[in-house]
Amino acid sequence: MATEPGAGTGADPGLREFVRGAAALDDAARAWLAEAVPPDCFGYPSGLTADERLALTYARLRRAGRAAPPAAALLADPPALCGLLERAAIADPALFHVMLLHYTLALGPIMRFGEGRDGAEGPAAARAALESMEAFGTLLMTEVGRSNSHLSPRTTARHDPATGGFVLSTPDAAAAKFPTSAGHPGVPKVAAVYATLVHAGVERGVFVFVVPLRGPGGEVPAGVRVVAAPETSGLRVDYAAVLLEDLHVPHGAWLRDGARIDGGAFHDPAGSAAARLTRSMGIAPPVWRAVISASAAVARASAGTLLAHSAGRGTLGRLGPRRPLTDYRNQREAVLGALASAYALTAVAGHVKARPAAAPAPGGPGTAWAPWSAVDRDLALLKVAATVQAQETVSRCRVHSGAPGFAAVERLNAYRGLTHAYLNAGGDNELILYDTARAMAGLDRYTPPPARPEPPGGGDLEAPGTWLFLAGEAERRLRDRLADRVEAARKAGADDFTAWNDNLALAARTARACADRTVLEIVAGAAESGPPALRRTLALYALDWLEGRAGDLLNEGVARPGVLEEAAEARRRVGDALAPDAAALAAALELPAEVTAPPASFTGGGGPGGG
């Protein structure tokens, strides 16, 4: 395996072009990107208190926002925004999180919904403060006391005819907005608040309201109560619960998206409260694109970190003293598997950055567990696939980096915290799977893969046609069984809750199969058009997938007995052919030197303290 320093380290131009993507940033964009997230963001000085660390995170966000193009331009340019967020993710996952909130979940709703269809002006002052980075944006959506609170927030907004504004109220502690990033006592914050608008005693749907949570010095206005959460060692931001206690906001705080109250009558062009919920949740696609892109970025950084740890490292194992670590197949396969995962996720990220958002479900959300599937089901499902794959990749790299993986630097721990958090954040993965399976069972805007009698080309496990056959057949058979079970339960007298509750495990497996097939279609397309090293790398990803899903594939009768042994042999064969390319694969990722550098404290260097 060519992992010795200087062995085969030149990046293949075809690989580098693939990693940069079809919408590669130009030299000017790469320059402002390096200025926005410079090398000093790749770690924190030692000795900081929790508040000092958070203050530095927000100082970094302010600097990044002022170095980057204007927010409106970024939000209109997915590759540029994703490029900024990718670099933030690999430098400082906490910076990624607050940056994502600021741009996509605070400024995003203001720019999308802040001007009515009749041209009325939205909350100009709040927008100006956020665009200038004088204040930072956050989101108040999830409520702590009920699951699926997105579907019907208990926080209400009632029109005040005397002022023309609204009164926002959290009825009790169980309806507190949590988690939100509003806990730091000295950071100015503006929130996008999701609340149920109640007018004339009728719930009119979920709208977004813009609310200043903290002033220039961090002071909290009357009517807002912020309860800071205990410090966490996961994704380290200023979590807090927020309660709104008869908070009066002006009419302009309502991001009304064309809705209006005239002469005491409520009008909404969305047509219904259900359709309004779908529109209000329409801010999700930029979030999912960013999360998928960041998942690919941290997978690339983790793979590079593991390779740097493994390259040239000797061992004292009694079977072969002083042999290179990567002579051992478990380590070699971990390194190559991480690289394969990184390249597969890079293909998915490139796909979603170039993909327009889908039209929302007509007539409101066809959803039972979460509102996200009604917005863009395929993009939500790819978010699930990317975060799971990234979390598994980071964890693999952390384990195979030995003690240094968790003790020498914080980087892999921080990546693990980020990927683990986004299994729930940005739309809970399990709920997305359940809603996807429900649509699949009912053939709601879904067409199953066609039945095929046998794989093309004799079932060669290294061939993309075989991957797609296995994934598609498993998906179709799982869907058919799920639909049959739910229908049989209904015919036996079960209500919808019971019919689905008894089949949630099968529902999750069915939706995961759909996600697998979707990802493999993207990967197969990249493999067929890419250079030889990319084709081998993505074949290794597919073989790893096959091994991980062997239970479902065998259970559904689409894989033959002995497939695990065949896959293991193919993985060895592909891995041996790919091993000389490992350093070139890593070089094409173009990782910043700070990602793979050894801890400064171990080398006698200075710097920010390694993490």
Side-chain angles (χ1 to χ4, degrees), residues 34-118:
E35 182 183 353
V37 186
D40 65 9
C41 289
F42 289 77
Y44 282 86
S46 60
L48 296 180
T49 66
D51 278 354
E52 288 169 342
R53 181 185 173 104
L54 286 166
L56 179 54
T57 302
Y58 283 107
R60 290 173 173 178
L61 175 56
R62 175 174 287 125
R63 179 175 60 181
R66 290 176 175 174
L74 277 178
L75 286 166
D77 186 352
L81 179 58
C82 287
L84 177 61
L85 287 160
E86 287 173 19
R87 185 168 171 88
I90 63 173
D92 177 0
L95 175 61
F96 164 84
H97 184 70
V98 296
M99 186 182 287
L100 181 75
L101 291 171
H102 181 85
Y103 280 111
T104 65
L105 292 169
L107 274 165
I110 291 173
M111 293 180 180
R112 178 164 181 169
F113 304 134
E115 293 186 356
R117 294 177 183 176
D118 56 0

Side-chain angles (χ1 to χ4, degrees), residues 406-482:
F406 68 88
V409 293
E410 189 182 339
R411 191 165 315 285
L412 289 173
N413 288 327
Y415 293 163
R416 187 170 181 270
L418 176 66
T419 56
H420 196 268
Y422 275 89
L423 300 179
N424 302 109
D428 184 87
N429 281 6
E430 278 201 76
L431 301 185
I432 291 171
L433 288 175
Y434 295 152
D435 265 339
T436 301
R438 188 167 177 260
M440 293 170 69
L443 300 179
D444 173 16
R445 293 168 291 133
Y446 167 79
T447 302
R452 297 178 181 177
E454 58 185 22
D460 176 6
L461 296 184
E462 298 175 38
T466 302
W467 320 336
L468 298 180
F469 167 81
L470 293 171
E473 276 296 295
E475 175 185 344
R476 185 179 58 80
R477 297 182 191 192
L478 282 162
R479 189 223 75 90
D480 290 350
R481 187 161 72 258
L482 176 65

Side-chain angles (χ1 to χ4, degrees), residues 37 148 360 376 389:
V37 186
N148 314 90
D376 189 327
Q389 186 65 43

